[in-house]
Amino acid sequence: MAFRSIQDRWYVIDPATGKRVPSARHGQGMRYRARYKDAAGKEVTRAFPDKEKSKAQRWLDEVTTSQVTGTYVDPKTARTTVADWCATWLAGYTTRRPRTVRQARVHVAQITAAFGPMPLSAVRPSSVRSWTVELKAAGLADSYVYALHSRLSQVMSDAVHDGLLARNPCSRRTSPGAGGQRPYVATTEQVWALHDAVADHLRPAILLGAFVGLRTAEVVGLRVWDVDFMRGVVRPVQQGDGEPLKSETSRTPLPIPQELSVQLSAAVARWGGDHVVTDGAGRQTSTWAIERAIRSARTTIPGLPDAFRFHDLRHYLASLLIGSGLDVKVVQHRLRHGSAKTTLDTYGHLWPDSDESARAAVGAVLAARGDWLGTERADLR
């Protein structure tokens, strides 16, 4: 900071009486002017009444502290409204995928409806918590409320990074929670019944969802040359619209057994085309066609819920791997989750209860101790 000072110059001498009177330029009773220069060299001033020099000094000290700690926000910048910042934020977010941008616009519309006219600095943690409570009371799903809170946190975090805000009002304390709904896990019999119920040319999609863990868009975008049929490796690269998958984790090569390679290869030979899953005439199918086939087939399968989707086949794969004794890191790798926490949050309840294992381990130690004592006493006798 170039300089900081408090000026006692806000009184003038009345020529008629010779007495000191408040300066009309600066307002009645305003005696002190505190000033400083910010990092850009711009002078910032603030007026304080008579007998409040200590308050002016405290204000300057707070400004100095914020500049040293990196939390300084220009007073004019701090008046930026949530709506104005959201518009700026969205303009910089348009470099993402169109579908991602569309989702962000929907979230931001909810945010501006609640906080739009407010200055960024006026959004408090308490108002964030009240907002999430109102959203839940309006009937929105817990997962959607959680997504809206995460979006608000993202927008506010970027405002902090841009120097518009000192701190993010969103945190774990204001988070509404993602909801505790557990995914439905189909049985093996239901998976095969679903496989047999859809059209022949869509059956490879069921295999790729249930035994490889591909998402709907990944199945639609999977090309013949993305599968190494000889070595048994599936390499998801793109979505159905040709857009590359978002992350390196999503593009993880996935090993498949020879039995599955044979079935996929036979489907390619039968239906032709450049894609593993086709419309039955050698052309690429669509996510809509696959989901429509699932909706039609699920009503004919006993026990399959009405809300069952193609994505739920990934849950079957997770349960299959966990039931086979694989650890969380292996399951994370096969499902291509970004972290083991995601895997545990979604499928932690599927791992076998460890209470009995822990009880057996402790019991084995105590039993061994008892056997040793019994042998020792027998020897002594």
Side-chain angles (χ1 to χ4, degrees), residues 173-360:
R173 292 186 176 185
T174 63
S175 177
Q181 184 176 4
R182 292 182 174 180
Y184 178 80
V185 178
T187 65
T188 300
E189 292 74 17
Q190 288 173 328
V191 169
W192 284 122
L194 188 66
H195 172 272
D196 296 339
V198 301
D200 290 355
H201 62 274
L202 292 180
R203 289 179 179 177
I206 306 300
L207 298 177
L208 290 168
F211 301 112
V212 186
L214 296 191
R215 303 170 179 90
T216 320
E218 295 167 344
V219 168
V220 173
L222 189 68
R223 298 161 299 186
V224 175
W225 51 86
D226 294 331
V227 182
D228 189 333
F229 297 99
M230 294 296 295
R231 294 182 175 85
V233 178
V234 173
R235 296 183 178 87
V237 175
Q238 64 175 20
Q239 300 188 74
D241 57 6
E243 287 289 324
L245 299 184
K246 291 189 292 186
S247 66
E248 192 66 31
T249 302
S250 298
R251 296 188 290 271
T252 300
L254 301 169
I256 60 175
Q258 193 61 38
E259 293 83 357
L260 182 54
S261 290
V262 170
Q263 292 194 53
L264 295 177
S265 178
V268 169
R270 178 180 178 183
W271 303 109
D274 293 335
H275 291 80
V276 177
V277 183
T278 71
D279 64 352
R283 296 183 297 268
Q284 181 185 19
T285 190
S286 64
T287 56
W288 176 80
I290 293 176
E291 291 294 355
R292 183 181 63 174
I294 294 292
R295 287 195 298 270
S296 299
R298 70 191 178 197
T299 59
T300 66
I301 301 170
L304 209 59
D306 293 338
F308 189 86
R309 307 165 301 159
F310 181 86
H311 189 84
D312 293 326
L313 292 173
R314 281 171 56 85
H315 305 326
Y316 168 77
L317 176 62
S319 69
L320 181 64
L321 298 176
I322 293 170
S324 299
L326 301 180
D327 62 40
V328 63
K329 293 301 292 184
V330 176
V331 178
Q332 174 199 346
H333 177 77
R334 291 303 302 268
L335 295 177
R336 294 166 295 143
H337 286 156
S339 68
K341 181 180 182 302
T342 302
T343 308
L344 287 172
D345 287 346
T346 309
Y347 303 113
H349 64 286
L350 296 179
W351 262 276
D353 191 348
S354 58
D355 288 347
E356 289 302 323
S357 299
R359 183 181 290 115

